[in-house]
């Protein structure tokens, strides 16, 4: 095999491995219903329930027709279908949410390190946008209305707010059992121990006292 062919094959393998490792592993059996009596590995799938004890009830979850309680500072409620609430999802590389947003409700700028996000609006209207990485920092944003679908690429910071004068309802799917979430304001201002305020004042071009005030209210 020529050196060029060897290089091509090597790069192809590296590329394939990068894609394969970017998201959850494919299951090696029909299903692995989560055994909620056993402790799951950190960031991984839960241990499998004995197949002899699996029933159809392990694959159904009710309540997604019920509005969540949005009485909080963000004006949002999240109902989750994950391996802990729907054991049949375990190891399948999926998680699912119902999201309710009161008028003016919002999610702070955040990102999901392990999953692409697909949003389907069922009622109302959301402004959703994501920001590309360095060096462009382009902000792609749309008003997403009833029947629209919007995709947020994995790992990108994004914003979500309700533009309707009434409650907005959306369904959200992730291509990971554990997509993770990092809220940017909390990560920076509510870290334990606190990030140095002088450092943050230089990073955000603010005076130190303003930074300290923000850290105190988070």
């Amino acid at each position: 095999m020529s050196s060029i062919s060897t290089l091509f094959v090597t790069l192809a393998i590296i590329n394939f491995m990068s894609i394969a490792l970017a998201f959850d592993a494919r299951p090696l059996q029909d299903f692995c219903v989560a055994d909620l009596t056993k402790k799951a590995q950190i960031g991984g799938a839960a241990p499998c329930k004995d197949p002899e004890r699996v029933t159809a009830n392990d694959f159904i979850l009710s309540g997604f027709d019920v509005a969540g309680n949005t009485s909080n500072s963000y004006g949002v409620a999240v109902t989750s279908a994950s391996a802990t609430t729907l054991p049949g999802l375990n190891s399948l590389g999926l998680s699912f949410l119902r999201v309710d947003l009161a008028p003016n409700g919002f999610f702070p700028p955040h990102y999901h390190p392990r999953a692409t996000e697909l949003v389907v609006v069922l009622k109302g209207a959301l402004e959703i946008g994501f920001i590309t990485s360095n060096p462009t920092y382009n902000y792609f944003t749309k008003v997403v209305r009833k029947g629209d679908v919007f995709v947020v690429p994995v790992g990108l910071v994004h914003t979500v707010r309700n533009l309707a004068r009434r409650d907005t309802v959306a369904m959200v799917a992730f291509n990971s059992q554990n997509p993770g979430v990092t809220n940017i304001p909390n990560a920076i201002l509510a870290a334990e121990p606190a990030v140095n305020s002088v450092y943050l004042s230089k990073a955000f071009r603010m005076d130190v006292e303003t930074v300290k005030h923000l850290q105190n209210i988070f």
Side-chain angles (χ1 to χ4, degrees):
M1 184 180 293
S2 69
S3 59
I4 295 178
S5 298
T6 302
L7 176 61
F8 177 82
V9 171
T10 302
L11 291 175
I13 292 173
I14 292 173
N15 182 60
F16 174 79
M17 291 178 66
S18 298
I19 295 172
L21 294 175
F23 303 102
D24 295 358
R26 293 183 64 83
L28 299 178
Q29 62 272 357
D30 289 343
F31 52 76
C32 171
V33 171
D35 187 342
L36 301 180
T37 66
K38 298 179 181 178
K39 187 175 181 180
Q41 296 180 349
I42 297 176
C48 299
K49 189 176 184 179
D50 182 348
E52 296 297 324
R53 294 171 44 231
V54 171
T55 72
N57 289 333
D58 291 313
F59 299 93
I60 189 170
L61 174 67
S62 300
F64 265 61
D65 59 330
V66 179
N69 182 4
T70 58
S71 300
N72 53 66
S73 59
Y74 297 121
V76 301
V78 175
T79 305
S80 173
S82 64
T84 55
T85 58
L86 181 57
L89 271 178
N90 189 48
S91 82
L92 297 182
L94 291 171
S95 50
F96 195 69
L97 307 175
R98 172 190 167 126
V99 178
D100 294 271
L101 296 94
N104 299 313
F106 69 98
F107 288 95
H110 64 283
Y111 67 93
H112 305 285
R114 294 179 288 275
T116 292
E117 178 177 352
L118 195 70
V119 183
V120 183
V121 173
L122 302 183
K123 182 178 76 170
L126 294 177
E127 181 189 70
I128 309 175
F130 63 84
I131 303 167
T132 60
S133 55
N134 181 67
T136 57
Y137 297 116
N138 289 328
Y139 185 38
F140 291 91
T141 182
K142 289 291 291 183
V143 176
V144 187
R145 306 184 188 278
K146 179 181 178 181
D148 292 343
V149 181
F150 191 86
V151 62
V152 179
V154 57
L156 295 187
V157 174
H158 51 286
T159 60
V160 182
R161 64 183 180 127
N162 184 9
L163 291 187
R165 296 182 179 179
R166 57 176 184 169
D167 290 352
T168 288
V169 179
M171 296 295 179
V172 181
F174 297 100
N175 63 337
S176 173
Q177 178 168 327
N178 184 23
V181 60
T182 299
N183 287 329
I184 304 300
N186 298 74
I188 294 172
L189 298 170
E192 292 289 345
V195 179
N196 182 271
S197 57
V198 175
Y199 165 79
L200 290 179
S201 72
K202 293 178 180 178
F204 288 99
R205 301 177 185 177
M206 296 179 179
D207 63 86
V208 176
E209 292 307 312
T210 299
V211 171
K212 289 182 177 179
H213 171 70
L214 290 172
Q215 289 176 314
N216 285 334
I217 65 177
F218 271 84

